[in-house]
Amino acid sequence: MIMRWSLVLIFLSLSEITAKAQNNTPLSIDTSAYKVYDYAVKVDKQPEFPGGLDAFFSFIKKNLRWPIKSQKIEGRIFVEVTITKNGSLINPVIKRGLSEEQDKEALRLVKKSPKWKPAMLKGKAIDFKYYLIIPFKRDDE
């Protein structure tokens, strides 16, 4: 019996502390500084390679080293990457690849990329997950 009353008193004292904590104004923490938005979020401005899409494909064409083991494999590699507020590309992940060597080359190109213009939301630069397509296609000559 004494044990039961002890538990009831402990429960009541804890619920009073909880009730007091809920009555106080909640602490406001700006989590937007830590949020990574993704391609499903409507932003004011998408991230952009310096000079635009044509410049991006020129960068790829100029810097692509076609792996010897995969000379006959053509296609596109899809890389998910986070473009940070300052335009750096971080955390690249192959979402759809071709061969192990080509996938490594795609990641190398992403890491070599110059900084991008970041995505903008409500006038602020934001971290943004983005898909890049790295083409492995021979030009018809």
Side-chain angles (χ1 to χ4, degrees), residues 86-100:
N86 73 1
S88 298
L89 278 65
I90 62 169
N91 304 327
V93 176
I94 300 293
K95 289 299 189 175
R96 190 176 89 191
L98 291 173
S99 71
E100 185 178 341

Side-chain angles (χ1 to χ4, degrees), residues 20-51:
K20 284 182 184 175
Q22 290 175 351
N23 288 336
N24 292 339
T25 306
L27 179 62
S28 177
I29 299 173
D30 181 12
T31 58
S32 64
Y34 308 103
K35 181 158 178 55
V36 177
Y37 296 87
D38 64 24
Y39 32 84
V41 173
K42 184 169 173 37
V43 292
D44 302 333
K45 189 173 182 223
Q46 291 279 326
E48 184 182 351
F49 187 84

Side-chain angles (χ1 to χ4, degrees), residues 40-77:
V41 173
K42 184 169 173 37
V43 292
D44 302 333
K45 189 173 182 223
Q46 291 279 326
E48 184 182 351
F49 187 84
L53 198 54
D54 289 338
F56 174 70
F57 287 115
S58 292
F59 166 80
I60 296 297
K61 189 173 184 177
K62 179 182 175 186
N63 293 286
L64 181 70
R65 295 185 206 143
W66 202 301
I68 294 172
K69 291 181 180 178
S70 305
Q71 287 291 314
K72 295 184 181 184
I73 302 172
E74 291 189 4
R76 299 179 299 172
I77 296 176

